[in-house]
Amino acid sequence: MAPKWREFAAGFTEYQTPKIVRINRKKIGILYRLIQLAVIVYILGYVIILSKGYQEFDDVVSTVTTKVKGVSYINLSALDPAIVTVDDTAPYDKLWDVADYIIPPQMQNSFFIMTNMIITVDQTQATCAEDPGIFGANCTTDDTCKKGEAIINGNGVMTGNCIDNPAYEGTKSCEILAWCPVEKDIKPGPRLDKPVLYEAANFTVLLKNSISFPKFGFYKRNILESSNEAFLKECIYNSRDPDLQFCPKFRLGDIVKETGEDFEKMALEVSTSYPSLAS
């Protein structure tokens, strides 16, 4: 046992040092430094600076969902008839909810909210007088209405007849084959100076946004972990209130206001028939 113990002790206390050989050759020395320089340039220039080899990359997986809420009861028949421009208010007088004013129900990266409308009921394919407000629709004789031709920006194809327009007393228009009656391009209440769904300014949209990097196991969403169900039901985003700055529910009127626009003007005049708000 003694010799083995001594061998272990000797091996434990021994150590080795590398042997250095100095080569005094200029060509070999220059070649050696060039190789070192090439390695340094490759690592610093290409791997680190250009390829960013010190970083790891992963494609982000993101999901955004929107949920609009709000109801509005429209009752044009209760208003002064002098300020309502439609003869039949029945199609407008009802409770409007999400199923009515979100058109279409789903969109990519946006949502559409109808705030004003023109409703033409009971349309069928038939012959009727063209809207005299369309250029080229007015006539005095049948010769003005060329059979088989469509009026530019019109609603149908002319039959060759010039007829009285019952919707506009004392006016003659070309008869057309179209979906009749044709739409009267008059908003329900322009003198009301507000859209039919003016209460849309108080509708809210809940924005849920989540991102993840699967490679790194990272997940984040815009709804804080501390936000409980009661908070999400009651809160509405307010940039000036610290308690509501992280609320994911936004009032439509506030969204438009933050862009510097007037909600009622935008909702009334953005489009002839279907003004919209998009996100």
Side-chain angles (χ1 to χ4, degrees), residues 141-163:
T141 64
D142 292 344
D143 295 336
T144 309
C145 307
K146 296 181 180 180
K147 184 177 181 179
E149 292 188 9
I151 301 174
I152 298 177
N153 297 325
N155 295 290
V157 177
M158 291 181 286
T159 64
N161 299 322
C162 180
I163 62 175

Side-chain angles (χ1 to χ4, degrees), residues 51-63:
S51 300
K52 300 185 185 301
Y54 61 91
Q55 297 180 349
E56 285 190 274
F57 293 88
D58 190 18
D59 293 330
V60 62
V61 178
S62 176
T63 303

Side-chain angles (χ1 to χ4, degrees), residues 18 29 32 50 80 82 105 128 133 140 144-145 255 261:
Y32 174 72
L50 293 179
D80 184 353
C128 54
T140 53
T144 309
C145 307
I255 295 176
E261 299 291 336

Side-chain angles (χ1 to χ4, degrees), residues 32 49 84 95 125 132 135 142 182 193 201 203 214 223 237 240 250 255 258 260:
Y32 174 72
I49 297 177
V84 178
L95 183 71
Q125 286 195 4
F135 179 77
D142 292 344
V182 297
D193 200 27
F203 295 170
I223 300 178
Y237 174 82
R240 289 170 290 277
F250 302 83
I255 295 176
E258 290 294 328

Side-chain angles (χ1 to χ4, degrees), residues 45-82:
Y46 179 77
V47 176
I48 296 180
I49 297 177
L50 293 179
S51 300
K52 300 185 185 301
Y54 61 91
Q55 297 180 349
E56 285 190 274
F57 293 88
D58 190 18
D59 293 330
V60 62
V61 178
S62 176
T63 303
V64 179
T65 59
T66 62
K67 186 176 183 180
V68 179
K69 281 191 174 183
V71 294
S72 176
Y73 178 68
I74 305 302
N75 189 13
L76 295 182
S77 60
L79 301 176
D80 184 353

